[in-house]
Amino acid sequence: MGTVTGFKDLQKTLRDAQRALKALDGTIGTVEFDPTDPSSVKDAIGAMERMVAEKTLLYRGNALVENIAGQMKERYRTGILERAKGVK
């Protein structure tokens, strides 16, 4: 009969992911930018990425949290770029 290990690690990963999701729930922050100014758009994307990173800092190294944070950053980045594109 074999031994299953790693269940405690999985539980911790899932617990941390749940905490990170709570931290990311609701308003993460607000960015303002000039959609006609590429450097302003770039700065807004950077600010948004830092906000998400700050909310998930305690869970760095948790692959599940990092994946979710990466997806959020990409979604918000796309939203900022779409908003800027729509103004031009």
Side-chain angles (χ1 to χ4, degrees), residues 6-71:
F7 186 66
K8 286 185 181 181
D9 291 340
L10 177 60
Q11 283 182 318
K12 181 181 179 341
T13 297
L14 294 175
R15 227 180 1 261
D16 286 350
Q18 185 177 29
R19 289 181 184 126
L21 288 172
K22 275 187 174 182
L24 292 169
D25 190 29
T27 302
I28 295 172
T30 303
V31 294
E32 294 184 18
F33 61 96
D34 177 354
T36 63
D37 179 5
S39 67
S40 179
V41 172
K42 181 180 174 184
D43 290 345
I45 291 170
M48 171 276 304
E49 289 179 345
R50 284 188 298 280
M51 284 183 235
V52 172
E54 286 174 15
K55 293 280 188 176
T56 59
L57 183 63
L58 293 174
Y59 311 104
R60 187 181 301 165
N62 181 315
L64 185 56
V65 173
E66 289 178 0
N67 185 296
I68 292 166
Q71 289 178 28

